[in-house]
């Protein structure tokens, strides 16, 4: 099983027949890859294959290989991945090895392949439409699990020009034009390129495989294609985004296009049902709701401010002045922390010589606020920072308002520590004066 590095290139049956679903061949080489968690992986090369290896933006085929073991037991081996190497050998990744020389029957996962051919042939068509309508070249193509993209060397495109390209592509699909392949020499291809009859030519030397959409596009490509544009089924442009070298256009063809439209429609229907309106009214309704929402938020904030002032006055009135300090300590489970902060700032201006230790217990950890009137001299930020540091916690703020977070089980201890420090600080200032 030692690798033979002079293997002949694998005969690629999909070049001449991209609709070939089954084929027979023989194992020419087997090598073991160091497997991951799922055990060893074997790479099998065959003398001929209909399996498409990842290349040119189109992903590999899946499927299975059928063979007989030496004792005659039938074997079905799933092909999980297919790659080609620089020598032109196609490697089929499997979980079981087969001996060199073993005859195999290959079967490709046709649903997956046909979907890939729809997206890939759709890409030829789309790139050609962008080139012909807007003189914008395609620089790369990626076929993904759900959507595909092409990167265009282009300035940002207007919605109108995108719509125009999409319409033209779908007209060509409706015309069901033949899609054919043929081979030309490198020099012939270069002449075609110069004359503007060929959209793109790779650097590769030797014979060039051309894919022709009748009277619309000719392009060099080694991928798998449909027999006619009608088989693309339909093409839908989805999203456009700016990328470093131009514009990325997301598109879907065939059943992917139907699925995407179905998902969109369901979303629209669900959303419009929620609002009891027709889908066409969604943009104006959402705009109105957003405007209303902002107005409501402003109104709510105004009311919260007014409420905080009233509640602050009541809290200050309830607490007597003792030794030159009105220290108010409260904790709330049902008030949000923004409001508790607002309340702290309003309470210390509601009466002179007032300090607060307020806790918002609406969530864990508890948020602690301390604040003081401007006629008191201690530093809230410093006191809270030092108290929290004692518990290995962090927090702080300005001289007149500070905040920090503490786990519920340490809240009492922290409050006691802050309370003592504040009372001591006020007492010391009174002694001095
Ligand atoms: Zn192609």
């Amino acid at each position: 099983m030692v690798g033979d590095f002079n293997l002949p290139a694998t005969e690629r049956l999909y070049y001449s027949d991209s609709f070939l679903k089954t084929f027979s061949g023989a194992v020419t080489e087997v090598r073991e890859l160091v497997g991951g968690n799922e055990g060893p992986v074997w790479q099998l090369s065959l003398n001929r294959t209909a399996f498409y290896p990842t290349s040119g933006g189109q992903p590999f085929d899946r499927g299975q290989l059928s063979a007989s073991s030496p004792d005659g037991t039938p074997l079905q081996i799933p092909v999980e991945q297919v790659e080609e190497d620089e020598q032109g050998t196609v490697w089929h990744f499997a979980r079981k090895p087969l001996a060199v020389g073993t005859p195999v029957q290959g079967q490709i996962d046709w649903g997956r392949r046909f979907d890939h051919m729809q997206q890939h042939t759709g890409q030829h068509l789309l790139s050609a439409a962008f080139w012909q309508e807007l003189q914008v070249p395609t620089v790369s193509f990626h076929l993904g699990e759900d959507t595909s993209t092409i990167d265009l060397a282009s300035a940002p495109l207007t919605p109108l020009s995108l719509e125009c390209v999409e319409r033209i592509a779908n007209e060509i699909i409706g015309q069901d034009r033949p899609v054919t392949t043929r081979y030309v020499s490198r020099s012939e291809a270069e002449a075609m390129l110069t004359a503007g009859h060929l959209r793109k030519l790779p650097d590769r030397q030797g014979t060039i495989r051309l894919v022709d959409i009748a009277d619309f596009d000719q392009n060099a490509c080694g991928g798998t294609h449909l027999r006619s544009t009608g088989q693309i089924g339909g093409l839908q442009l989805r999203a456009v985004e700016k990328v470093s070298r131009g514009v990325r256009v997301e598109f879907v063809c065939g059943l992917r296009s139907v699925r995407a439209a179905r998902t969109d429609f369901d979303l629209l229907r669900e959303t419009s049902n929620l609002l009891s309106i027709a889908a066409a009214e969604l943009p104006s309704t959402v705009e109105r709701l957003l405007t209303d929402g902002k107005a409501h938020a402003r109104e709510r904030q105004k009311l919260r401010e007014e409420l905080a002032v009233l509640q602050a006055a009541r809290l200050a009135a309830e607490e007597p002045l003792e030794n030159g300090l009105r220290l108010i300590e409260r904790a709330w489970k049902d008030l949000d922390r923004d409001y508790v902060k607002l309340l702290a700032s309003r309470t210390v201006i509601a009466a002179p010589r007032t300090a607060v230790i307020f806790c918002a217990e609406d969530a864990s950890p508890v948020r602690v606020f301390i604040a003081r009137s401007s006629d008191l001299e201690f530093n809230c930020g410093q006191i809270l920072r030092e108290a929290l540091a004692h518990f290995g916690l962090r927090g702080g703020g300005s001289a007149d308002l500070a905040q920090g977070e503490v786990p519920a089980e340490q809240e009492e201890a922290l409050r006691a520590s802050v309370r003592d420090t504040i009372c001591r600080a006020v007492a010391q200032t009174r002694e001095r004066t």
Side-chain angles (χ1 to χ4, degrees), residues 120 123-124 211 219 221-225:
H120 179 72
Q123 180 260 314
H124 277 254
V211 178
N219 193 33
C221 185
T224 57
H225 308 91

Side-chain angles (χ1 to χ4, degrees), residues 3-181:
D4 173 1
F5 295 104
N6 296 311
L7 279 173
T10 314
E11 185 191 347
R12 308 198 186 196
L13 302 168
Y14 56 80
Y15 278 160
S16 53
D17 183 2
S18 59
F19 280 72
L20 191 65
K21 302 175 185 75
T22 57
F23 65 98
S24 52
V27 178
T28 51
E29 187 66 21
V30 184
R31 58 191 192 189
E32 186 179 357
L33 278 184
V34 179
N37 295 338
E38 293 167 40
V41 175
W42 303 85
Q43 289 182 315
L44 314 175
S45 73
L46 309 175
N47 59 340
R48 57 209 300 268
T49 189
F51 280 91
Y52 185 77
T54 300
S55 59
Q58 183 177 333
F60 57 86
D61 285 330
R62 291 206 182 96
Q64 66 174 20
L65 297 174
S66 306
S68 293
S69 66
D71 64 4
T73 318
L75 288 172
Q76 305 273 0
I77 302 175
V79 174
E80 299 178 355
Q81 192 181 334
V82 187
E83 302 292 337
E84 63 180 348
D85 64 20
E86 284 178 6
Q87 285 71 43
T89 306
V90 177
W91 295 97
H92 307 72
F93 291 49
R95 295 282 165 188
K96 277 183 198 156
L98 283 172
V100 169
T102 307
V104 293
Q105 288 287 320
Q107 178 162 31
I108 64 171
D109 174 343
W110 184 245
R112 177 178 164 91
R113 158 66 80 75
F114 188 72
D115 168 61
H116 288 172
M117 294 207 295
Q118 283 187 311
Q119 314 310 315
H120 179 72
T121 310
Q123 180 260 314
H124 277 254
L125 176 60
L126 184 59
S127 291
F130 271 116
W131 177 243
Q132 292 185 19
E133 282 310 302
L134 307 171
Q135 287 72 55
V136 164
T138 296
V139 288
S140 68
F141 161 58
H142 172 72
L143 203 174
E145 287 293 325
D146 299 310
T147 56
S148 303
T149 55
I150 52 172
D151 284 1
L152 301 167
S154 164
L157 299 164
T158 64
L160 202 64
S161 51
L162 288 166
E163 214 180 296
C164 172
V165 165
E166 185 184 61
R167 183 178 45 76
I168 289 167
N170 281 290
E171 279 170 5
I172 305 283
I173 290 172
Q175 289 159 9
D176 199 20
R177 300 193 188 203
V179 178
T180 51
T181 53

